[in-house]
Amino acid sequence: IPALWPKVRPLPATFKLPPVAKEIYGALLATDSKMIATQAAELKEVLISYAQVRAAQIQSLGELPLVVLRHGLVQPQMTPELTELMEETNVRLQAELAAQSSNGRLIVAQNSGHAIQFDEPELVVEAICEVVTAVKTPANLSKEPVSVA
């Protein structure tokens, strides 16, 4: 599996590294057994967390200030069918999450892949500042979905 890792989970297309550095980074990810073991352990914990959230049957986040950031660039998976399924599922689930709060909204980072924090760090900082301000000054977030290019 380590040898296949870059093909199974390619680096985000917009990851801002020179092409040679992307290749080196991908090779390091593919051969680092600690990284693969850590990801496996993380996946196990994520699945437990998902089960806990489902068991809690949360229907609403109330007025909790919430900004959901969604990537705008399609993230290729192992097959086109899987890519389409993952994209449709993520779009639906992220919209549902933003709607769970009466003070939540969805922002689509049009120029970002999975790693929005690398592709559009300023957008992540703005979202964090917006939520912090809303918590400190009981301000309502804009309910309009935003698409940032």
Side-chain angles (χ1 to χ4, degrees):
I1 275 206
L4 296 174
W5 191 251
K7 293 187 180 356
V8 172
R9 183 162 180 104
L11 291 174
T14 60
F15 196 67
K16 293 180 176 139
L17 287 175
V20 171
K22 279 186 188 180
E23 283 185 40
I24 293 169
Y25 181 75
L28 287 173
L29 291 181
T31 58
D32 184 351
S33 60
K34 286 182 186 177
M35 192 276 303
I36 292 170
T38 300
Q39 286 189 324
E42 180 182 347
L43 177 59
K44 178 182 173 189
E45 296 302 318
V46 165
L47 295 175
I48 292 169
S49 177
Y50 289 168
Q52 291 169 336
V53 170
R54 282 192 301 274
Q57 297 182 346
I58 297 170
Q59 300 299 314
S60 170
L61 296 175
E63 295 179 359
L64 181 75
L66 174 68
V67 174
V68 177
L69 298 176
R70 177 166 54 87
H71 67 262
L73 300 177
V74 172
Q75 299 301 286
Q77 304 297 322
M78 289 181 272
T79 66
E81 297 79 16
L82 183 57
T83 297
E84 184 178 346
L85 176 64
M86 292 292 292
E87 289 297 316
E88 289 173 0
T89 302
N90 285 331
V91 166
R92 179 179 51 79
L93 292 176
Q94 290 162 340
E96 288 175 9
L97 176 59
Q100 285 289 310
S101 171
S102 62
N103 197 14
R105 72 183 183 125
L106 174 68
I107 298 174
V108 179
Q110 292 295 334
N111 298 315
S112 291
H114 177 72
I116 298 172
Q117 72 276 18
F118 294 124
D119 296 332
E120 296 184 67
E122 66 287 347
L123 184 60
V124 175
V125 171
E126 288 172 19
I128 292 168
C129 290
E130 186 176 351
V131 170
V132 168
T133 299
V135 168
K136 287 182 174 181
T137 62
N140 286 331
L141 302 174
S142 166
K143 291 301 286 178
E144 294 300 314
V146 176
S147 183
V148 180

